[in-house]
């Protein structure tokens, strides 16, 4: 839950801010000196107390420099979106809802390794509040039987492992990163096998699984994106059993960017990867750090 006070992710004495400020300071100091010394000298020469004029000018100059630093700091904390160039690809990070993205963009939905679609009821395997839950309610409110059949058919060539004695849900477990393309009725959604399920049907993921998922995911994206842009959410923010570690949204985002860089994927001209910060993550990620 949001706290009642404004949270500043970029600290006041952030090293990057200081580095940029020193560059600005050097340039502005030289410019001000060149443009103002003669006019101020002329004004001071006409006054009875020349020292007062210079004291006022110095005070104004110092206050302006302090104000400039605070303006830079506030700006760093107000950044809501950034564009990055990674291996020649454009990667955008911004706030947003994946269901508000354009129709011609692939929108990625996290599923579990079984591609379970059971929503609602006592034995629900998909939370109605998750992105997948919203997706199912939006497009398959009457039931996902037909979707399940298409998933099975489309992934028939993928080597999955059959889970014996699973009380609820589907029986075939697919490799993490496996993708199902839902293009019915003009939709562009990609369901990806993201989380593992334990014997109690609780989602979990180890750090090793997470990294392996990311690398496999980009490899699969390279096969199916067909020149269109891709929008993903911040993978992992809903997995509370991620090695039982306190992995911050900032660290998750940096891992996603790292994996994209090392995947060496080269998107077609005009195709963009967008990473969405949604809900609480919009004030938990320091975008200034990534610029």
């Amino acid at each position: 839950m949001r706290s009642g006070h404004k949270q500043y992710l970029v600290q006041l004495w952030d090293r990057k801010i200081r580095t940029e400020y020193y560059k600005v300071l050097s340039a502005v100091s030289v410019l001000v000196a060149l443009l103002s010394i003669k006019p101020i000298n002329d004004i001071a020469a006409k006054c009875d107390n020349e020292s007062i004029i210079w004291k006022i000018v110095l005070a104004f100059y110092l206050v302006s420099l302090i104000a400039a630093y605070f303006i830079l700091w506030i700006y760093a904390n107000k950044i809501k979106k950034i564009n990055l160039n990674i291996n020649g690809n454009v990667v955008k990070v911004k706030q947003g809802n994946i269901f508000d993205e354009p129709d011609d963009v692939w929108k990625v939905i996290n599923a579990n390794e079984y591609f379970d679609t059971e929503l609602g009821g006592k034995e629900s395997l998909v939370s109605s509040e998750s992105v997948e839950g919203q997706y199912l309610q939006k497009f398959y409110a009457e039931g996902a039987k037909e979707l399940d059949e298409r998933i099975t058919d489309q992934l028939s060539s993928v080597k999955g492992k059959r889970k014996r004695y699973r009380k609820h849900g589907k029986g075939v477990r697919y490799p993490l990163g496996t993708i199902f393309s839902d293009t019915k009725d003009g939709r562009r959604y990609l369901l990806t096998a993201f989380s593992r399920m334990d014997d109690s049907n609780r989602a979990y993921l180890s750090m090793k699984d997470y990294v392996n998922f990311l690398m496999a995911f980009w490899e699969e994206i390279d096969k199916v994106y067909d020149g269109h842009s891709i929008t993903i959410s911040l993978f992992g923010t809903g997995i509370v059993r991620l090695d039982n570690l306190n992995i911050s949204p900032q660290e998750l985002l940096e891992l996603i960017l790292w994996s994209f860089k090392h995947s060496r994927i080269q998107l077609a001209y005009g195709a963009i990867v967008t990473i969405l910060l949604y809900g609480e993550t919009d004030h938990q990620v320091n975008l200034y750090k990534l610029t």
Side-chain angles (χ1 to χ4, degrees):
M1 184 177 293
R2 284 180 186 268
S3 56
H5 62 277
K6 171 67 177 178
Q7 181 180 6
Y8 291 100
L9 290 173
V10 184
Q11 300 302 308
L12 184 60
W13 300 116
D14 182 89
R15 178 180 294 181
K16 187 172 182 180
I17 289 183
R18 283 185 284 134
T19 300
E20 291 192 6
Y21 178 71
Y22 293 149
K23 294 178 182 178
V24 173
L25 180 61
S26 300
V28 171
S29 296
V30 172
L31 184 63
V32 170
L34 292 175
L35 296 179
S36 64
I37 287 179
K38 187 179 186 305
I40 293 173
N41 273 328
D42 293 341
I43 295 173
K46 297 177 182 179
C47 296
D48 295 333
N49 195 332
E50 184 175 333
S51 64
I52 292 179
I53 296 297
W54 282 108
K55 287 179 181 178
I56 293 174
V57 170
L58 179 60
F60 177 78
Y61 181 64
L62 291 176
V63 169
S64 299
L65 291 180
I66 293 172
Y69 188 92
F70 276 92
I71 290 172
L72 184 60
W73 174 61
I74 292 171
Y75 166 77
N77 277 285
K78 286 186 174 293
I79 295 176
K80 301 299 182 183
K81 59 182 178 180
I82 58 172
N83 289 352
L84 304 172
N85 186 312
I86 299 180
N87 296 338
N89 302 300
V90 177
V91 179
K92 293 185 176 182
V93 184
K94 67 175 186 177
Q95 297 176 20
N97 187 320
I98 201 163
F99 298 106
D100 294 333
E101 290 296 287
D103 293 337
D104 62 343
V105 171
W106 286 114
K107 294 167 278 290
V108 179
I109 305 294
N110 301 350
N112 64 41
E113 59 186 339
Y114 293 96
F115 287 92
D116 288 320
T117 57
E118 190 171 335
L119 179 67
K122 185 178 180 180
E123 303 297 339
S124 174
L125 296 174
V126 180
S127 169
S128 60
E129 297 180 358
S130 68
V131 176
E132 184 187 6
Q134 296 175 56
Y135 159 81
L136 292 172
Q137 292 175 83
K138 186 177 179 67
F139 299 113
Y140 299 96
E142 301 302 319
K145 181 179 179 181
E146 182 263 345
L147 172 63
D148 291 337
E149 292 174 351
R150 286 193 289 120
I151 290 174
T152 300
D153 181 62
Q154 190 178 125
L155 301 183
S156 60
S157 61
V158 178
K159 188 176 181 180
K161 294 182 179 180
R162 183 162 292 279
K163 174 75 172 181
R164 300 179 65 185
Y165 311 121
R166 194 173 185 230
K167 293 182 180 179
H168 275 302
K170 299 177 182 177
V172 179
R173 182 174 61 190
Y174 296 95
L176 297 183
T178 300
I179 285 178
F180 163 76
S181 305
D182 184 6
T183 55
K184 183 181 178 182
D185 299 328
R187 291 192 289 271
R188 280 194 188 280
Y189 283 87
L190 299 174
L191 273 66
T192 183
F194 172 66
S195 61
R196 297 199 181 280
M197 298 290 276
D198 64 17
D199 291 337
S200 298
N201 279 329
R202 294 177 301 181
Y204 75 96
L205 209 63
S206 70
M207 280 304 301
K208 181 179 179 180
D209 284 336
Y210 186 78
V211 173
N212 288 340
F213 158 77
L214 289 172
M215 300 308 294
F217 171 76
W218 293 123
E219 184 176 343
E220 291 301 305
I221 283 292
D222 199 21
K223 297 175 184 177
V224 304
Y225 83 102
D226 195 28
H228 293 273
S229 294
I230 308 106
T231 297
I232 67 174
S233 56
L234 193 58
F235 294 132
T237 51
I239 300 297
V240 295
R241 288 168 290 279
L242 186 57
D243 262 357
N244 292 317
L245 298 175
N246 185 23
I247 307 298
S248 69
Q250 181 79 34
E251 292 170 313
L252 292 175
L253 175 58
E254 290 176 9
L255 273 172
I256 292 171
L257 295 174
W258 172 88
S259 69
F260 182 74
K261 177 180 180 180
H262 288 275
S263 71
R264 298 298 178 182
I265 184 175
Q266 288 293 324
L267 299 178
Y269 178 77
I272 295 171
V273 172
T274 300
I275 305 173
L276 293 181
L277 307 178
Y278 180 69
E280 293 298 299
T281 58
D282 67 352
H283 67 287
Q284 296 174 328
V285 172
N286 178 357
L287 293 180
Y288 179 70
K289 181 181 178 181
L290 302 174
T291 58

